[in-house]
Each structure stands twice: as C-alpha cells, then as structure tokens.
C-alpha cells in the first residue's frame, strides 16, 4: 500500500543540513589540529566521513574535518578547484569529465561501491506505480530525473537502457535535486527518476516501482564515487594528504564493519524519518577504487559522447 509522502519526506527536503565549518585552505587550531573543509552530499554515501569525525579518526591523524553540503559531485568540483573545499566527494564520471577539461583533480580514496545485486542496490531507476513503463527499454522517449546532468546518473541509466535492448540516445534527462524526486514522481511531473538512498527507500515506501538497478547493470563491482582533491593542493602538503587519505580509509573500514552506526549517524546530518532509515539499503564502503569498473565508465562516456576520446585514467589516481 502506498504510504503518504508527507510523512516520509517531511525532513527530506531539508537535507542540506550538514556540519558546517570555515571554508578555504587549511588552518591550525589551538589543539594542534589542521582544519580541512570537505564538500559532501547529504546522502547515505558519505556516512563514513561523518562517522570518522564522530569517532575521532580524523583527529587521530591531526585533522579537524569540517563537512559542508553540495547538491552533487559536479557542483562540488568547482569548490575544490577554487579552494573553497580542501577535498570533496564526487561520482567518478564527474571527476573524469573534469580531468578531460583540464582540471587538476586526483582521487584520494574510494567513496562508495554498488552492492552488486539486482533489485537490492542502494540506488535505482523508479517509475510511478501505474506507469506503463515496465523495463529500462521502455524509457525511450521518456524523461528521467537525475541530480546532476552529465554524471554517473545518466551514464549508468543509459547503460541500463542499452542492456535492456532500448536506445539510450532516446532518453531525455532532467536535472532535479534528490529531495524533490519523490514528490515529482508521485504527482506525475516526471516519467522516471534515478535516486539513491535515502531517497530510494522513500520512493519504495511510497509504493512506486523500481525498473532497473543501473549501477549493477554497469558493473557488478562499480566504484560509484570517490573522495578527491586538487593536485596543486596535495603537492603543497603531501604529508597532510597522506594522513587525510589514511583517515578516509580507516573511516570507510569502520563504516563497513559497523552498519548500525552508519544508520545512526545518518540522523545527525539528515532529518529522514527513522522508519525509513531502518529500511535503507546500505552501499559497500571498500577503501580501494575498482579500476576495472572505472574503465567501464570511461568506455561508456566515450560511447555516449560525454568525452571525445579514451581518457588517461592513471592521472586520476594519486
């Protein structure tokens, strides 16, 4: 039965609340910690860094990490380049596009990885319960909402369409913030949406249908996003970024080993209903980027025209 969206999304539209701190270059605190500011997205994917701050992992590495919110990886990239953020969280497609445009970005660690199970991943493509769309192939001629254009959303949705036998070039994509997707889908303002947790669970709980697991369709071990920094910034203080990378990896390992604490920390930077949090499908949090899956993404980006030629992915990794 369809549950009222108002009860499920009362706090979702307010997801821009994260722990805020001073922007810009790092600075020394009285306690000897170096303050760094990270641009993140208020979604389940970044729970490890929130846990790392909460558990004192970053402090153990001499870092006072401040977290600030952005709408998506494509929006965070300019903040890292400008020095507004010392590091950021972004999907890997946006990072590859940025490198191809000459922006000196480099990954520090993996961010989040698909669960690898059809119909049981932390994100997917959803349509209204009464939609005539039955599979990804039926998205030909349809409009699909994603959070940022030319990123991992449209790249992997196109692959789902392709795998199902449809024409990926016939799908129209519309940019829409994640918090707005559940209502837009229920009211029929959009044909389909690509959403990740916690919005995927909100949509499922409201009775809509999932027609594709786009990450799984792309690669069973897809590295979806990564933590990254600007190469010149890293070169200024490589030892600091060594410590930062170690703290990120420890935070990811902690999150992987403590799923209950992942669910708990989500309540500190979102206002999602507790009943939804309990039903969330958590992603995997390995520290290492699956480079084979990133190559798959790069190949798809060339095929779909996001970039002109095969990128040099070695320059993407620190």
């Amino acid at each position: 039965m369809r549950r009222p969206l108002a009860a499920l999304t009362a706090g979702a539209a307010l997801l821009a609340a994260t722990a805020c701190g001073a922007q810009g270059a790092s600075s020394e605190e009285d306690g000897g910690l170096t303050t760094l500011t990270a641009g993140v997205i208020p979604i389940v994917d970044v729970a490890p860094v929130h846990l790392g701050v909460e558990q004192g992992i970053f402090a153990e590495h001499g870092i006072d990490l401040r977290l600030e919110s952005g709408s998506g990886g494509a929006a965070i990239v300019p903040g890292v380049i400008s020095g507004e953020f010392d590091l950021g969280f972004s999907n890997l497609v946006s990072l590859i596009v940025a490198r191809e445009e000459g922006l000196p970005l480099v990954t520090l660690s993996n961010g989040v990885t698909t669960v690898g199970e059809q119909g049981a991943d932390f994100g997917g493509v959803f349509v209204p319960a009464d939609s005539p769309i039955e599979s990804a192939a039926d998205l030909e001629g349809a409009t699909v909402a994603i959070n940022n254009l030319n990123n991992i959303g449209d790249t992997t949705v196109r692959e789902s369409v392709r795998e199902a036998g449809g024409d990926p070039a016939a799908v129209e994509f519309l940019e829409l913030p994640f918090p707005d997707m559940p209502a837009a889908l229920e009211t029929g303002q959009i044909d389909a949406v690509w959403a990740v947790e916690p919005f995927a669970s909100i949509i499922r709980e409201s009775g809509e249908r999932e027609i594709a697991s786009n990450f799984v369709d792309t690669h069973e071990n897809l590295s979806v996003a990564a933590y990254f920094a600007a190469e010149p910034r890293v070169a200024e203080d490589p030892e600091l970024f060594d410590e930062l990378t170690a703290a990120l990896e420890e935070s990811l390992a902690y999150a992987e080993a403590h799923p209950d604490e992942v669910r708990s920390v989500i309540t500190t930077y979102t206002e999602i209903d507790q009943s939804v949090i309990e039903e969330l499908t958590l992603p995997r949090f390995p520290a290492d980027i699956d480079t084979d899956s990133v190559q798959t993404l790069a190949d798809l980006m060339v095929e779909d025209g996001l970039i002109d030629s095969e990128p040099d992915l070695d320059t993407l990794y620190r």
Side-chain angles (χ1 to χ4, degrees), residues 17-80:
T18 60
C20 295
Q23 296 180 354
S26 62
S27 61
E28 292 294 330
E29 294 282 299
D30 291 339
L33 300 181
T34 300
T35 299
L36 296 178
T37 303
V40 295
I41 312 169
I43 55 178
V44 171
D45 305 29
V46 298
V49 288
H50 286 273
L51 273 178
V53 171
E54 183 180 273
Q55 294 296 318
I57 293 173
F58 289 95
E60 289 173 1
H61 287 270
I63 296 167
D64 175 20
L65 186 65
R66 310 289 179 89
L67 305 174
E68 296 196 4
S69 169
S71 66
I76 291 171
V77 165
V80 171

Side-chain angles (χ1 to χ4, degrees), residues 34 41 135 157 174 201 217-218 227 233 240 245 264 289 293:
T34 300
I41 312 169
S135 74
V157 171
L174 175 71
S201 282
D217 289 338
T218 302
Y227 294 96
R233 179 74 182 88
L240 171 62
T245 299
S264 178
I289 295 172
S293 73

Side-chain angles (χ1 to χ4, degrees), residues 31-199:
L33 300 181
T34 300
T35 299
L36 296 178
T37 303
V40 295
I41 312 169
I43 55 178
V44 171
D45 305 29
V46 298
V49 288
H50 286 273
L51 273 178
V53 171
E54 183 180 273
Q55 294 296 318
I57 293 173
F58 289 95
E60 289 173 1
H61 287 270
I63 296 167
D64 175 20
L65 186 65
R66 310 289 179 89
L67 305 174
E68 296 196 4
S69 169
S71 66
I76 291 171
V77 165
V80 171
I81 291 296
S82 70
E84 178 184 0
F85 304 129
D86 297 291
L87 68 151
F89 176 88
S90 175
N91 71 87
L92 280 150
V93 169
S94 290
L95 294 181
I96 294 170
V97 169
R99 287 285 320 191
E100 288 300 288
E101 292 176 349
L103 300 180
L105 300 178
V106 63
T107 57
L108 303 174
S109 76
N110 186 54
V112 65
T113 295
T114 177
V115 173
E117 297 182 22
Q118 289 286 347
D121 204 7
F122 72 100
V125 183
F126 301 89
V127 298
D130 58 357
S131 171
I133 296 173
E134 296 294 336
S135 74
D138 298 328
L139 292 174
E140 288 186 13
T143 301
V144 181
I146 58 175
N147 67 320
N148 286 149
L149 295 173
N150 299 326
N151 78 354
I152 201 159
D154 42 10
T155 297
T156 55
V157 171
R158 286 191 187 97
E159 179 61 5
S160 288
V161 174
R162 186 181 289 113
E163 287 290 311
D167 179 6
V171 182
E172 180 179 353
F173 291 95
L174 175 71
E175 199 166 278
L176 190 69
F178 282 130
D180 296 340
M181 290 184 183
L185 195 63
E186 185 176 59
T187 58
Q189 298 173 30
I190 199 79
D191 297 317
V193 302
W194 163 66
V196 297
E197 295 288 17
F199 305 100

Side-chain angles (χ1 to χ4, degrees), residues 1 150 241 259:
M1 179 177 293
N150 299 326
F241 279 86

